[in-house]
Every structure is written in C-alpha cells, then in structure tokens.
C-alpha cells in the first residue's frame, strides 16, 4: 500500500500550525472493549438485584446507546469509587505495548498540540483548565527543531485530555452522556478553547469516527465562520478507513475535510492506520526536514573533539541517509585545517566550534577571519553547547557567520533557514 500524505498537511505540521485530535480508535488495541470494561466495573459495584439485572440487559444488548446507559448507571451507583475502579481495570487489562509504535510515531510528529478524548493513562497530558488553555493558545508555536520531537525520550507535543484522565491527575472522566453535557454546557471556557483552536489551526483527526454531535457541530461553526470554499485547502484532515474517492471529494468540497484513507479488507485489517501514521511521521519529523536540507551535500565539521560533535553528526548523517542523499561528513580539528580543506575542496556547509581548536586558536573566529581574507566561500554556522554572549555573537556575525547556534536545536533551525524550502 502506497500512502500519499497531502503536501499541504506536511507544510502545516512543519510550520507549527497543526493540532492532532486523537480519538478512541488510536488506543483501541490497548484498551479493553466497552463490554469488558463495563463488566469489570459491574463486578466492583454494589448493585441491588434489580439494578444488576437492568445493567446486564443493557450490556448484553450491546447497542451504543445501551452501553452509554450502562456506563451512566454504574457511575451513579459507584459515585466517588467509579474513577478509581476504572483506573484499576485499565491498569490491569490495558495493553500499552500494543500501541507503543503509535505513541513513538505520534511523539515524533511536530504537532503544535495534541487533543484527545481518551481518558486512559497511556497518553500523558493535562486536563482542561486555565493552565492547559494558556499553554496551547498563548505560548509560541512549537517548531519541528525543538528537542521535544527528536531526542531519544522525546515527549512530543503538549497534550490536553479533553475528557479527563483516570489515575494520578485526579480529574473526573467524561464517560457518560451526562458527563458530556456537563463538560460542554457547565464550562463555557471549554468550548471557547476548542472553537479558538479549530478556527486558527489545521486539525488532523486520528482514530476519530465523527459520531460525537458536539464535535461535528463545532466543525460546522468554524466552516461557516471562515466561509470555506471548494478551492480552499482543507481546514482539517482525517485518517479514515475505506473512504471511496467520491466520498473523499464530497468531504473536501462540503466539509472542508481532507481524507487519508486506508483499506481494511472488509473490516479485517486495520494495519493501514499505522502505515499512514508512519508516512506522516516520516514526511514531517525533524530527521525528514534535516535530511531534505542536507541530502547530497558536504558538511565540514571543525571541532577538536570528535565526542563533542558525535551526536549531531549522527543525527545529520542518519537524516540525510534516510532522505536518500549521499551526504559527506568531514571533520577537522582546527581553523587552519578547515581553511586548507576549503582551498582544495568544496563544502556546502561549515559547522565551526566556538571554543579553541587543537592549535589553541578560537575555531569559529579564526576560520571566519581566514575565509574573509582569502575569499573562501561557504555558509558557516558557529556552534556552542551553551548560551553565547551578545558581544561574541555580534563579532562572529560581523565576520560572516550565517548564525551562532547555542545547541543542536538552534543548529537544526538554521539548517532549515539556509536550505529547506518548506520553512
């Protein structure tokens, strides 16, 4: 199966203008089925014979409305014990390893934020409230070069758990129709938050079935507000199963929704979702952006310590390799050696340490001075692993440095500014 990720979606993600909306389908392999969950709760509830029979009939009938009614009965009967019992069942019967790859891919996609209606503990985040709203709406957009997307233990984008979370956060979960009503109509800030985000960001729906009436109404409000037209790019995208071309055309034209569809072979194979998620990750994550910038180029590192630059070199080399380019990584230990290289060979990029080289000379300043004097040309980024004094920065920029980067994230950002056409 070949997955085509819409370029507009990739552009929005890379630019920090995309928010993921994660629904129940994302965590389905890890979370007990509804009937199993309700039976587990019923086993811990002190129910009289009549209520137990009523509950059993609702669960065994198995319609969505019946299951929602069963959940409401259990929540009312168990009171304050309900959330704790729900947390215990998810801890005992949940299978977080079943979605470990999905979680890794989600964390590596540079979304500005992640919203989820899932209350399981597998996706860690904040519950709705002023702190969460301020972080998502008022903080500067998160960009792909930030460590949160590319370090080994990268947490990914900040997460807001719209329906609460069982467990340590101590927030009452939205598990029933009454809970939905209270969240929607007793907390005006909640809907204002969602309206603001949906109106100003491109939303990517993952594992969402669009059966929530309030979600569909909210999307309709936004479409009417911005007067979405057929020729406009989608205001949202969704990864959905088994969407036929004529259905996709309708969703784009009348719902402002771009679809990325996968074939489930008649509802028997859901692995297509994971392939789509991986394709989005590989098209937008930091290594993809760095790889696109450096593919086929020669990078000259000027640093006396191979250990100091090992991490950055490995990230850049891996990224360029995954992009299919034949990137050369060359390291020398002093400004003099770098100048000698540039006299005889070509470099598309020079990354020079601020500290002294193995000849005792400050690498970046000495190299830039030599390059200016001898008219040796290549973009030079001066790299430090700590904050740089303003005076030192001005000196290096006046000598011709493209940027003075304090750490790997600054370096990655500058590579995008120099080379990547999508930023």
């Amino acid at each position: 199966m070949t997955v085509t990720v819409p370029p507009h979606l990739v552009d929005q993600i890379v630019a920090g203008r995309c928010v993921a909306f994660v629904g129940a389908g994302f965590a389905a392999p890890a979370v007990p089925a509804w009937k199993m969950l309700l039976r587990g709760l019923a086993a811990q509830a002190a129910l009289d014979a009549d209520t137990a029979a009523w509950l059993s009939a609702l669960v065994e009938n198995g319609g969505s409305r019946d299951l929602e009614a069963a959940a409401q009965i259990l929540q009312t009967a168990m009171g304050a014990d309900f959330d704790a019992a729900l947390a215990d069942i998810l801890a005992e019967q949940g299978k977080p390893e079943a979605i470990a790859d999905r979680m890794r891919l989600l964390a590596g996609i540079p979304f500005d934020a992640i919203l989820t209606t899932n209350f399981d503990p597998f996706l860690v985040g904040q519950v709705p409230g002023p702190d969460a709203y301020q972080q998502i709406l008022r903080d500067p957009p998160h960009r792909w070069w930030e460590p949160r997307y590319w370090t080994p233990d990268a947490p990914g984008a900040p997460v807001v758990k719209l329906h609460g979370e069982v467990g340590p956060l101590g927030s009452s979960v939205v598990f029933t129709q009454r809970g939905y009503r209270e969240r929607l109509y007793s907390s005006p800030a909640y809907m204002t938050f969602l309206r603001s985000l949906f109106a100003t960001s491109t939303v990517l729906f993952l594992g969402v079935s669009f059966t929530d009436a309030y979600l569909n109404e909210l999307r309709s409000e936004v479409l009417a507000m911005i007067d979405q037209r057929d020729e406009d790019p989608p205001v949202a995208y969704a990864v959905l199963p088994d969407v036929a071309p004529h259905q996709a055309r309708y969703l784009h034209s009348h719902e402002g929704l771009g679809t990325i569809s996968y074939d489930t072979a008649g509802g028997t194979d859901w692995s297509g979702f994971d392939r789509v998620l991986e394709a989005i990750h590989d098209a937008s994550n930091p290594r993809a952006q760095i790889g696109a910038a450096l593919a086929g180029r020669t990078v000259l590192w000027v640093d006396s310590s191979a250990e100091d630059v090992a991490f950055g070199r490995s990230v850049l080399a891996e990224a360029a390799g995954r992009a299919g380019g034949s990137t050369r990584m060359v390291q020398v230990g002093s400004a003099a050696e770098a100048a000698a290289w540039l006299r005889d060979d070509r470099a598309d990029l020079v990354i020079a340490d601020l500290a002294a080289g193995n000849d005792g000379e400050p690498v970046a300043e000495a190299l830039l001075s030599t390059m200016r004097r001898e008219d040796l040309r290549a973009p030079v980024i001066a790299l430090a692993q700590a904050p740089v004094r303003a005076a030192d920065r001005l000196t290096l920029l006046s000598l011709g440095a493209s940027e003075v980067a304090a750490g790997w994230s600054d370096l990655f950002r500058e590579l995008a500014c120099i080379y990547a056409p999508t930023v």
Side-chain angles (χ1 to χ4, degrees):
M1 166 185 157
T2 301
V3 178
T4 301
V5 182
H8 175 255
L9 173 60
V10 175
D11 290 345
Q12 293 292 292
I13 294 173
V14 171
R17 293 195 293 265
C18 186
V19 170
F21 194 108
V22 176
F26 183 92
V31 177
W34 257 76
K35 284 189 176 183
M36 185 183 301
L37 198 58
L38 292 170
R39 290 188 186 114
L41 289 167
Q44 298 187 43
L47 303 175
D48 60 57
D50 180 62
T51 303
W54 181 24
L55 182 70
S56 178
L58 289 168
V59 172
E60 296 312 314
N61 188 59
S64 61
R65 287 185 177 274
D66 291 329
L67 295 178
E68 289 173 0
Q72 184 66 72
I73 292 168
L74 284 165
Q75 191 175 51
T76 301
M78 299 177 74
D81 295 331
F82 179 85
D83 282 4
L86 185 57
D88 288 342
I89 293 171
L90 287 171
E92 293 171 5
Q93 300 183 19
K95 300 176 181 178
E97 68 280 0
I99 58 169
D101 281 344
R102 290 185 180 182
M103 297 290 288
R104 174 184 60 81
L105 293 170
L106 187 69
I109 300 173
F111 295 117
D112 188 41
I114 298 171
L115 310 180
T116 182
T117 52
N118 299 345
F119 49 73
D120 60 69
F122 307 135
L123 190 59
V124 178
Q126 293 181 279
V127 297
D131 289 344
Y133 300 157
Q134 179 167 320
Q135 180 186 30
I136 302 303
L137 294 177
R138 302 292 295 175
D139 284 359
H142 295 289
R143 302 305 305 276
W144 64 263
W145 53 75
E146 294 180 31
R148 66 170 55 243
Y149 302 114
W150 52 263
T151 55
D153 56 349
V159 176
V160 180
K161 308 198 77 167
L162 298 175
H163 289 177
E165 179 181 289
V166 297
L169 286 181
S171 168
S172 296
V173 300
V174 176
F175 194 66
T176 64
Q177 285 298 323
R178 179 183 295 176
Y180 293 145
R181 289 195 298 270
E182 290 176 353
R183 180 59 54 90
L184 292 175
Y185 303 117
S186 298
S187 177
Y190 176 79
M191 286 301 288
T192 300
F193 167 68
L194 289 179
R195 286 190 185 96
S196 300
L197 207 55
F198 276 43
T200 57
S201 303
T202 296
V203 181
L204 174 62
F205 293 97
L206 298 167
V208 176
S209 61
F210 296 101
T211 56
D212 286 338
Y214 85 86
L215 182 59
N216 292 329
E217 181 63 24
L218 180 61
R219 290 189 60 254
S220 296
E221 284 185 33
V222 171
L223 289 172
M225 178 174 62
I226 64 177
D227 190 23
Q228 178 76 4
R229 298 177 175 86
D230 285 1
E231 65 273 15
D232 293 335
V235 298
Y237 290 86
V239 178
L240 294 172
D242 305 317
V243 178
H246 65 276
Q247 295 170 321
R249 181 177 177 181
Y250 172 82
L251 289 171
H252 185 181
S253 297
H254 297 282
E255 297 293 329
L257 186 68
T259 55
I260 307 172
S261 181
Y262 60 95
D263 184 1
T264 66
T268 62
D269 179 9
W270 299 89
S271 62
F273 178 88
D274 299 277
R275 289 192 291 273
V276 172
L277 188 63
E278 184 172 16
I280 296 170
H281 171 276
D282 290 351
S284 64
N285 82 313
R287 283 171 170 77
Q289 306 312 312
I290 297 167
L294 292 183
R297 302 185 190 276
T298 296
V299 179
L300 177 62
W301 291 81
V302 195
D303 195 305
S304 60
S305 171
E307 183 178 339
D308 285 352
V309 299
F311 173 76
R313 282 189 63 179
S314 66
V315 171
L316 268 59
E318 178 194 347
R322 291 179 62 179
S326 54
T327 300
R328 281 197 303 169
M329 297 283 178
V330 180
Q331 183 172 356
V332 296
S334 68
E337 292 174 86
W341 168 274
L342 292 171
R343 292 185 192 105
D344 297 332
D345 208 331
R346 174 187 60 84
D348 297 293
L349 176 67
V350 179
I351 302 173
D353 189 12
L354 259 69
N358 53 22
D359 59 0
E361 292 290 323
V363 170
E365 185 173 348
L367 177 59
L368 287 163
S369 297
T370 300
M371 290 177 68
R372 169 175 283 193
R373 185 172 61 251
E374 299 185 19
D375 196 26
L376 302 174
R377 301 192 179 191
V380 178
I381 300 176
L383 177 63
Q385 297 301 328
V388 181
R389 293 188 311 162
D392 293 337
R393 174 182 169 82
L394 286 174
T395 297
L396 292 165
L397 292 175
S398 68
L399 288 171
S402 297
E403 182 55 278
V404 181
W408 299 117
S409 58
D410 278 1
L411 172 63
F412 298 162
R413 177 184 60 197
E414 183 60 18
L415 291 178
C417 292
I418 295 173
Y419 292 119
T422 57
V423 175

